[in-house]
Amino acid sequence: MTTTTAPAVPTAEDEAFLRAAIAAAAAARAGGNHPFGALLVLDGEVVLEAGNTVVTERDATGHAETNLVRLATRAYGPEDLARATLYTSTEPCAMCTGAVYWSGIGRVAYALGEDELLALTGANPENPTMALPCREVLARGQRAVDVVGPCLHAEAARVHAGFWD
């Protein structure tokens, strides 16, 4: 087993891409879905973006990160994915973290932590949040995945305001 690197401090570039992921979450919400968004960055450029489609596609696995991973593994080879970063508005759940791991994506950066999401959603049945940080899931794997987050709490929480009430 391997572990991920220690939590890194986000760079200004990380924060800019996280803000774009938060904007993707706002777009998912405006489209009738849960407020989660993700994007893939390769060589400093956004190459893919995805939002949550759980409601509109009637697919419980339609989380922003799994949607993005599906697109990414069809479009890019292992070498590209290994040097890519998946930016997401909220810490990936255990399912999404597994998808990131299996895809070969080398780095994840997230804004709102899963524990922070739970504080916002409470016991809402539309988001039965698992108290399992992505770092713990990734630590069980055989390859390292760098993780940055949480950060930008207030900005990331704003997209959830009033949604889970």
Side-chain angles (χ1 to χ4, degrees), residues 58-163:
R58 297 184 53 148
D59 177 1
T61 67
H63 293 193
E65 300 89 349
T66 55
N67 288 338
L68 188 78
V69 166
R70 287 182 190 111
L71 295 171
T73 56
R74 290 180 190 133
Y76 296 97
E79 299 82 19
D80 289 331
L81 293 174
R83 59 180 217 282
T85 299
L86 185 148
Y87 288 91
T88 181
S89 61
T90 305
E91 182 174 6
C93 71
M95 175 186 70
C96 293
T97 301
V100 168
Y101 176 81
W102 287 109
S103 74
I105 291 171
R107 185 169 181 262
V108 172
Y110 65 90
L112 192 68
E114 186 83 352
D115 58 336
E116 296 169 313
L117 177 64
L118 179 58
L120 294 174
T121 64
N124 189 304
E126 291 213 25
N127 192 50
T129 302
M130 299 175 84
L132 184 57
C134 69
R135 284 181 177 87
E136 289 185 31
V137 175
L138 293 169
R140 304 295 192 261
Q142 294 181 13
R143 69 173 186 85
V145 177
D146 293 330
V147 178
V148 175
C151 56
L152 303 178
H153 169 82
E155 293 175 53
R158 225 178 338 261
V159 75
H160 293 273
F163 187 85

Side-chain angles (χ1 to χ4, degrees), residues 1 14-15 17-18 37 47-48 54 64 73 78 96-97 109 116 122 135 149:
M1 288 186 220
D14 287 333
E15 290 183 354
F17 288 131
L18 285 169
V47 295
L48 294 171
V54 167
T73 56
C96 293
T97 301
E116 296 169 313
R135 284 181 177 87

Side-chain angles (χ1 to χ4, degrees), residues 11 13 22 43 79 92 115 156:
T11 65
E13 183 178 66
I22 294 166
D43 300 329
E79 299 82 19
D115 58 336

